[in-house]
Amino acid sequence: MSITSLNGRRFAEMIIQGANHLSANAKLVDSLNVFPVPDGDTGTNMNLSMTSGAKEVQNNVQDHIGKVGVSLSRGLLMGARGNSGVILSQLFRGFSKSIETKASVSSQEFAAALESGVETAYKAVMKPVEGTILTVAKDAARQGVIAAQEHSDIIMVMEEIVKEAKASLDRTPDLLPVLKEVGVVDSGGQGLLFVYEGFLAELRGEALPAISDNFSMDKLVSAEHHINVQGHINSEDIVFGYCTEFMVRLEGKKTFDEDKFRLDLSELGDSLLVISDEEVVKVHIHSEQPGNCLNYGQTYGSLIKLKIDNMREQHTAIVGDTHATLETESKPKKEKQKFGIVSVAMGSGISDLFKSIGATVVIEGGQTMNPSTEDIVKAIEEANAETIIILPNNKNIIMAAQQAKDVVSEQVIVIPSKTVPQGMSALLSFNPALEALDNDHTMTEALSHVKTGQITYAVRDTVIDGLEIANGDFMGIDEGKIKVKSKEKLQAAKDLLLEMIDEESEIITIIYGEDASQDEVDELAKFCNAQFEDAEVELHNGNQPLYSFIFSIE
Amino acid sequence: MSIELKTKFGQIDISNEVVATVAGGAAVDCYGIVGMASKKQLKDGIAEILRKENFTKGVIVRQENDEVHIDMFIVVSYGTKISEVAHNVQSKVKYTLDKTVGLVVDSVNIFVQGVRVTNP
């Protein structure tokens, strides 16, 4: 049988069949949707658009194909939804325009109309994105025109069109990188193919199966995996660990009801896909108990083609692999630096300060939580340098640093900095261009350029340096000597500043600790500005424990 | 004016120009747009289709309080469903800005300034 002339009635049937076929497969199209926005609604949108067109056609069935085309065009425009829907409406608007005046069309006219639809569709876009429904429509129409030159039979032309549309669809991942990344074909293109397949089936007088032949489980599974991958980042976050795929040959043990089957399985996991025909049902599911899924499947018949993957293992392997390659790649590249600086700091703010001015490694530690020699050795190794300069920033740590020096093979210089300001001052005078010994010299010298004041509180009653101090009093320490005391934190701070600052002081740096409030800091800054007009005041949040304020006076 | 994003390593300032370029680029990916119209066209009275290289002239990024609003002036193709094309542009622009800039847009307002008739 061959069809050399297409009239309105037959065309209307083609449209309806195409719409039905698309409708039956809308979910698959949805699952492929990654471009332009991966919102998984291409199939739904195309289906709504096409259905709207088909309805309009159904209400206007007549012999004149041009008039059917007008109805189709109008229906599609009214119902156009989403990008693909709009493109679909344009494809058939151009198509209809081209056959508007004709009562019936030949194979050549039919192919030319498709081509004209593509032209219209391309004109309506500023920047055509290839690898989409546009490309599929274009390739298919071009093939149609070629085929129509040889065949007057529209069925044969349509066969060629479907074949080329399929081939073009398979090429879409090469044109649109995002598709390749995800491993799917273009959703809009797939939707168009379903429409064309519907056309062909009608022309051949065949009924299409509800689920298309060409639809492969693989395609669905990879789309489903894609959706799933997006949600999971950590291996531990995978709720359902086993990717389970199996087929059941239905053997009448139980009457098969696809909806019930799907519903029951959905209790056992996610990413569920169930596809069935009369004999076989294919299942893909991510489950924590793959065994239960198989047992359930077995109640309907015998199992064929089983596959279960542990996705956590796979995921960890992937993550682990990338990690490993990164490490091997980065290790040889990371050469030993000439100098590495290890600093000890208490409080995250101070640690950040040190890093910002050039410390390679900062060990958290200080009063009451001194780092051990081992900690320092570890830090020296981490610093990965020929010469390591250590800033202990506490007199109790200088010893540990000296010991660490004896343990490691690298050249180690310990700058005897007893306070954080001293350490900073020393670090600021570090010059990577100088030799190790010169740095040792200048950095040690820098220690004496800075005066350190600290405000802390007493933990018991005592008498030190002639001052009677009660538990809870705030003490002002100037270079290790307790100079002032007060019940008030701020008063102690002010007294200490007055004590320490003289004519030659230029920069006052206030590092405030975790127990200093913003108001206190503001007040202190105001006090400094008013009292010491010539000096510059700098504020830093050291976030250190125990010491409310650390002053560095240069 | 610029968009400020705070990260643990510091601050990132993204100028409105960048946001406009990204938004414009996303919009032209959408089907049915045949051009961006200059926002000044109301004054000029001519719907001049902007060339690709300066399509951002048809994009305005506004910041009000903490909200980001984008106005886009577009020219659509004759025969398309205008509401749908506009809606596609909105979702694409919103999605792209969120993905590439990490910017959540509060509104994308579309001004259809013209229709280009290709085959009357």
Side-chain angles (χ1 to χ4, degrees):
Chain A
M1 192 185 84
S2 70
I3 299 169
T4 52
S5 170
L6 191 65
N7 68 6
R9 286 188 191 279
R10 180 147 235 153
F11 182 59
E13 287 302 317
M14 282 167 67
I15 296 296
I16 291 159
Q17 178 81 281
N20 285 343
H21 190 49
L22 174 63
S23 175
N25 292 289
K27 280 229 170 77
L28 166 66
V29 178
D30 274 348
S31 69
L32 296 171
N33 177 201
V34 290
F35 182 86
V37 178
D39 46 7
D41 63 357
T42 301
T44 313
N45 285 339
M46 284 184 86
N47 182 27
L48 285 168
S49 311
M50 196 64 201
T51 307
S52 165
K55 269 213 185 100
E56 196 72 27
V57 166
Q58 215 158 10
N59 296 336
N60 272 304
V61 179
Q62 49 185 305
D63 290 332
H64 194 284
I65 190 169
K67 290 192 173 138
V68 173
V70 171
S71 310
L72 171 66
S73 174
R74 188 174 51 225
L76 277 169
L77 177 64
M78 303 299 287
R81 280 266 306 262
N83 246 314
S84 304
V86 177
I87 297 177
L88 202 61
S89 80
Q90 289 298 296
L91 285 172
F92 285 106
R93 194 172 74 90
F95 179 91
S96 304
K97 206 96 213 164
S98 145
I99 57 165
E100 208 170 24
T101 54
K102 298 184 175 91
S104 63
V105 296
S106 67
S107 70
Q108 285 195 1
E109 285 168 326
F110 178 75
L114 280 179
E115 183 113 275
S116 147
V118 171
E119 226 169 86
T120 307
Y122 265 85
K123 270 186 197 152
V125 61
M126 185 171 175
K127 195 183 104 188
V129 182
E130 295 299 342
T132 61
I133 176 172
L134 283 173
T135 315
V136 174
K138 181 180 69 183
D139 292 348
R142 190 170 297 152
Q143 187 61 35
V145 171
I146 296 167
Q149 284 168 355
E150 289 175 28
H151 309 288
S152 58
D153 183 2
I154 296 178
I155 299 177
M156 293 182 85
V157 173
M158 199 66 221
E159 271 170 3
E160 286 286 313
I161 289 171
V162 169
K163 207 168 104 192
E164 179 57 28
K166 248 183 219 169
S168 176
L169 181 65
D170 288 338
R171 289 195 297 267
T172 54
D174 296 326
L175 295 169
L176 199 56
V178 63
L179 299 176
K180 191 152 212 163
E181 221 171 89
V182 176
V184 294
V185 295
D186 181 64
S187 53
Q190 176 73 68
L192 184 67
L193 176 60
F194 283 132
V195 173
Y196 284 169
E197 279 176 355
F199 285 6
L200 179 60
E202 172 58 32
L203 286 171
R204 281 176 174 164
E206 297 168 343
L208 275 166
I211 304 291
S212 148
D213 293 341
N214 83 327
F215 125 62
S216 73
M217 187 80 175
D218 292 345
K219 212 183 266 177
L220 260 186
V221 166
S222 75
E224 190 69 23
H225 270 245
H226 158 63
I227 294 164
N228 218 37
V229 160
Q230 287 178 325
H232 296 309
I233 298 158
N234 291 323
S235 308
E236 300 81 46
D237 288 350
I238 298 174
V239 187
F240 298 106
Y242 301 92
C243 172
T244 313
E245 278 178 55
F246 59 92
M247 288 165 76
V248 184
R249 183 175 291 125
L250 298 172
E251 281 162 352
K253 287 188 189 171
K254 225 171 162 185
T255 352
F256 180 73
D257 174 354
E258 193 178 311
D259 288 339
K260 184 179 181 303
F261 186 85
R262 186 176 286 122
L263 196 72
D264 287 345
L265 274 178
S266 69
E267 309 262 301
L268 299 170
D270 67 359
S271 301
L272 176 65
L273 292 167
V274 174
I275 302 129
S276 66
D277 57 19
E278 288 83 53
E279 291 161 18
V280 172
V281 52
K282 299 180 188 178
V283 179
H284 165 265
I285 185 169
H286 292 173
S287 172
E288 202 46 24
Q289 288 98 23
N292 292 355
C293 302
L294 299 180
N295 287 343
Y296 178 77
Q298 228 172 355
T299 59
Y300 284 93
S302 61
L303 299 176
I304 38 179
K305 282 195 185 172
L306 307 172
K307 178 189 81 70
I308 299 168
D309 291 326
N310 183 334
M311 295 190 295
R312 282 191 200 93
E313 285 292 315
Q314 287 176 334
H315 191 268
T316 318
I318 293 165
V319 174
D321 282 352
T322 27
H323 204 73
T325 45
L326 274 181
E327 257 182 5
T328 46
E329 270 173 15
S330 66
K331 257 190 182 162
K333 273 186 201 158
K334 199 177 164 189
E335 278 176 29
K336 262 200 168 182
Q337 299 291 311
K338 191 173 169 201
F339 286 110
I341 293 165
V342 174
S343 178
V344 183
M346 52 183 169
S348 57
I350 294 181
S351 145
D352 289 346
L353 266 177
F354 270 113
K355 276 182 193 151
S356 73
I357 57 176
T360 323
V361 180
V362 179
I363 311 170
E364 290 256 353
Q367 206 75 18
T368 72
M369 45 177 209
N370 291 339
S372 64
T373 303
E374 196 191 337
D375 290 337
I376 296 171
V377 169
K378 231 181 259 168
I380 289 171
E381 278 161 9
E382 199 184 323
N384 188 33
E386 286 165 23
T387 304
I388 283 114
I389 299 171
I390 303 179
L391 299 166
N393 302 333
N394 189 311
K395 66 173 191 283
N396 300 331
I397 305 171
I398 297 176
M399 283 295 287
Q402 296 285 6
Q403 278 170 4
K405 180 181 173 175
D406 298 334
V407 176
V408 299
S409 55
E410 287 92 345
Q411 183 182 12
V412 173
I413 296 168
V414 180
I415 306 289
S417 63
K418 291 177 190 158
T419 63
V420 168
Q422 280 188 351
M424 290 194 169
S425 182
L427 186 49
L428 285 171
S429 62
F430 165 73
N431 182 350
L434 292 179
E435 287 307 311
L437 276 178
D438 294 331
N439 266 318
D440 186 357
H441 185 71
T442 52
M443 288 174 81
T444 309
E445 201 190 83
L447 298 180
S448 61
H449 294 166
V450 61
K451 285 194 280 183
T452 305
Q454 288 161 317
I455 301 292
T456 187
Y457 54 89
V459 287
R460 60 186 149 87
D461 298 350
T462 184
V463 178
I464 303 175
D465 299 330
L467 276 174
E468 258 181 60
I469 296 158
N471 185 6
D473 276 359
F474 284 93
M475 308 179 286
I477 306 165
D478 173 11
E479 297 285 324
K481 277 208 158 98
I482 299 172
K483 286 282 176 69
V484 299
K485 63 142 196 174
S486 172
K487 291 269 173 229
E488 284 291 315
K489 194 195 294 174
L490 268 181
Q491 195 55 49
K494 286 175 187 173
D495 288 349
L496 182 65
L497 283 169
L498 285 172
E499 182 85 16
M500 291 174 69
I501 293 168
D502 55 32
E503 295 284 308
E504 281 164 25
S505 307
E506 284 169 352
I507 304 168
I508 305 165
T509 309
I510 300 171
I511 301 166
Y512 50 97
E514 59 185 8
D515 69 334
S517 72
Q518 192 59 46
D519 287 348
E520 288 169 336
V521 173
D522 290 345
E523 159 118 39
L524 206 54
K526 216 186 281 169
F527 170 79
C528 287
N529 283 323
Q531 203 75 23
F532 319 109
E533 282 177 13
D534 297 334
E536 219 174 282
V537 179
E538 269 189 46
L539 296 170
H540 290 293
N541 182 3
N543 214 9
Q544 72 271 24
L546 304 173
Y547 293 92
S548 315
F549 297 106
I550 297 174
F551 303 127
S552 153
I553 294 159
E554 289 159 73
Chain B
M1 271 223 301
S2 61
I3 313 285
E4 292 175 7
L5 306 170
K6 290 213 162 54
T7 75
K8 62 174 177 171
F9 301 118
Q11 189 172 310
I12 301 172
D13 280 23
I14 298 166
S15 80
N16 281 357
E17 282 284 285
V18 173
V19 175
T21 308
V22 173
V28 298
D29 263 357
C30 286
Y31 186 81
I33 276 206
V34 285
M36 307 285 289
S38 165
K39 63 202 168 201
K40 289 191 191 129
Q41 76 142 86
L42 288 176
K43 201 174 68 185
D44 301 343
I46 308 159
E48 185 199 356
I49 290 176
L50 295 170
R51 280 197 264 166
K52 262 183 195 167
E53 54 264 36
N54 55 6
F55 57 65
T56 52
K57 284 199 179 134
V59 185
I60 298 175
V61 181
R62 291 181 291 127
Q63 272 167 292
E64 282 161 16
N65 305 324
D66 275 344
E67 299 184 328
V68 180
H69 303 278
I70 292 180
D71 297 337
M72 312 200 74
F73 298 79
I74 64 170
V75 176
V76 299
S77 169
Y78 175 77
T80 54
K81 191 174 173 189
I82 293 177
S83 60
E84 205 49 39
V85 171
H87 178 247
N88 290 339
V89 173
Q90 287 174 322
S91 58
K92 171 81 183 174
V93 166
K94 195 170 175 351
Y95 169 79
T96 309
L97 281 175
D98 187 26
K99 197 180 74 171
T100 61
V101 187
L103 180 68
V104 178
V105 185
D106 294 278
S107 68
V108 180
N109 303 307
I110 306 289
F111 298 87
V112 181
Q113 298 285 74
V115 177
R116 193 175 73 176
V117 182
T118 44
N119 47 349

